[in-house]
Amino acid sequence: MAVKRMDNIGIVVEDLGATIDFLRELGLELEGRATVEGEWAGRVTGLGDQQVEIAMMRTPDGHSRLELSRFIRPAVIADHRTAPVNALGYLRAMFTVDDIDATLERLSEHGAQLVGEVVQYENVYRLCYIRGPEGLLFGLAEELG
């Protein structure tokens, strides 16, 4: 077997603090913050000398993580935050929540906006997409029954 687990999904942001606050409100826990810099890090990313402030957010079950990165150098060169849901490449992270309506109400205080509407898939899930800080796309699912 080649893959043992998925460690994290990386998301580049401009406002690390606001994104951390949003994800905390969603229920993720801040595992840690650090600055990664230097030529050694650039050898991994192919960006050369870099300085990146990172924060690792963990889901309550401890199995999934989002790595948030704010690039100090080099400068960010592309912006995919407003891409529609049918765009190629990374699109969104989906989270299962206890109560979609209560979650939407809490997250709206942090700027979350519903993309379409909350829909029900058979008697299994209620689902929606939201735009969070900086237009980042997240999915929410509430298990029914």
Side-chain angles (χ1 to χ4, degrees):
M1 177 182 351
V3 174
K4 294 171 68 173
R5 68 177 176 270
M6 184 183 78
D7 283 333
N8 66 68
I9 293 174
I11 301 175
V12 177
V13 300
E14 286 182 313
D15 189 337
L16 195 58
T19 308
I20 289 169
D21 290 344
F22 181 86
L23 293 171
R24 277 184 164 158
E25 188 64 42
L26 183 57
L28 277 72
E29 302 163 10
L30 178 63
E31 193 171 78
R33 284 179 84 156
T35 299
V36 177
E37 59 187 318
E39 182 269 334
W40 72 269
R43 290 197 327 258
V44 174
T45 63
L47 295 175
D49 185 35
Q50 66 182 35
Q51 183 179 20
V52 184
E53 185 181 7
I54 64 167
M56 192 65 74
M57 305 295 296
R58 180 183 59 235
T59 57
D61 66 3
H63 295 296
S64 301
R65 289 173 178 77
L66 291 179
E67 180 181 304
L68 306 174
S69 301
R70 184 180 73 84
F71 276 81
I72 299 162
R73 73 172 186 274
V76 173
I77 62 164
D79 189 342
H80 305 287
R81 293 174 292 188
T82 59
V85 298
N86 61 342
L88 295 173
Y90 163 80
L91 182 57
R92 56 123 179 101
M94 174 75 77
F95 296 101
T96 299
V97 298
D98 291 330
D99 181 333
I100 275 188
D101 298 320
T103 302
L104 287 171
E105 188 174 322
R106 285 192 340 269
L107 293 179
S108 69
E109 296 173 15
H110 292 268
Q113 296 180 346
L114 195 60
V115 171
E117 58 186 86
V118 178
V119 299
Q120 184 165 323
Y121 171 70
E122 298 180 351
N123 290 324
V124 182
Y125 288 104
R126 291 182 70 218
L127 305 160
C128 68
Y129 283 171
I130 59 171
R131 293 264 180 203
E134 302 181 33
L136 296 172
L137 186 63
F138 296 100
L140 302 177
E142 176 185 343
E143 295 174 314
L144 301 175

